[in-house]
Amino acid sequence: MSKVFVITSIKDDVLRIRNGSFYSGPGDYTLFVLDGNLLHPRQVRLGECNYDYIEVVSGLESGEQVVVSDMTKYKGKEKLKVE
């Protein structure tokens, strides 16, 4: 049995992040953004995805680094130190 991926749209010049276990569909997410050796939570609006990437609608700038793994156990934290 083979998998089939259907392309429903194509967008140019889209900011994107790697697809991760946290993503469950388009909407608002709190993602942790790296600033030096600290992670800070930020509200980010995400759009459509493919197997590899997720469209960033708002809340991030090009070049910023974010955590794409599930961080729900850190919900409510103002910052996390990266060692």
Side-chain angles (χ1 to χ4, degrees), residues 7 17-18 29 33 44 54-55 69 75 80:
I7 297 174
I17 59 175
R18 183 150 309 274
Y29 289 81
V33 180
V44 177
I54 305 166
E55 171 190 21
S69 57
K75 184 177 179 178
L80 298 170

Side-chain angles (χ1 to χ4, degrees), residues 35-46:
D35 180 17
N37 67 338
L38 296 175
L39 293 171
H40 296 279
R42 186 180 307 165
Q43 286 300 114
V44 177
R45 179 164 294 227
L46 300 177

Side-chain angles (χ1 to χ4, degrees), residues 1-5:
M1 184 177 286
S2 299
K3 291 183 179 182
V4 175
F5 295 96

Side-chain angles (χ1 to χ4, degrees), residues 22 30 32 39 67-75 80:
F22 70 94
T30 300
F32 282 88
L39 293 171
V67 177
V68 295
S69 57
D70 186 358
M71 297 287 285
T72 53
K73 67 181 179 180
Y74 301 105
K75 184 177 179 178
L80 298 170

Side-chain angles (χ1 to χ4, degrees), residues 12 39 60:
D12 292 324
L39 293 171
L60 291 175

